[in-house]
Amino acid sequence: MKKKLSKLQSIILFTFLVSIAMSGTMTFGLLLIRTGWTSNFLYVWFFKYFLVELWLSIPTGFIVVPFIKKAVDSITKE
């Protein structure tokens, strides 16, 4: 039988995974559009954009997203 995550564990995992996916996709796309494919593209993307963006997106996911969810829930029908 597989062990399931608790509600708190699932929120933490979800926030990390969404932060990684969004940061990776957005920084990759924007850098590709701005600079085009170069020989050191992946290095520049990973170390100078993606990792920097993660330091911003993970705290945002844990701080801002719950406030947004609460605001949306307050105007949503039950």
Side-chain angles (χ1 to χ4, degrees), residues 11-48:
I11 290 169
I12 291 169
L13 180 62
F14 178 79
T15 302
F16 273 109
L17 293 177
V18 168
S19 296
I20 290 168
M22 293 296 291
S23 296
T25 303
M26 290 189 295
T27 56
F28 188 92
L30 287 173
L31 184 62
L32 187 62
I33 290 169
R34 289 180 180 160
T35 65
W37 189 262
T38 60
S39 61
N40 66 341
F41 178 86
L42 290 177
Y43 177 85
V44 171
W45 165 71
F46 188 78
F47 289 105
K48 297 193 177 191

Side-chain angles (χ1 to χ4, degrees), residues 2-14:
K2 292 182 182 179
K3 183 180 178 204
K4 296 203 174 203
L5 299 174
S6 70
K7 183 72 173 170
L8 179 61
Q9 290 171 325
S10 69
I11 290 169
I12 291 169
L13 180 62
F14 178 79

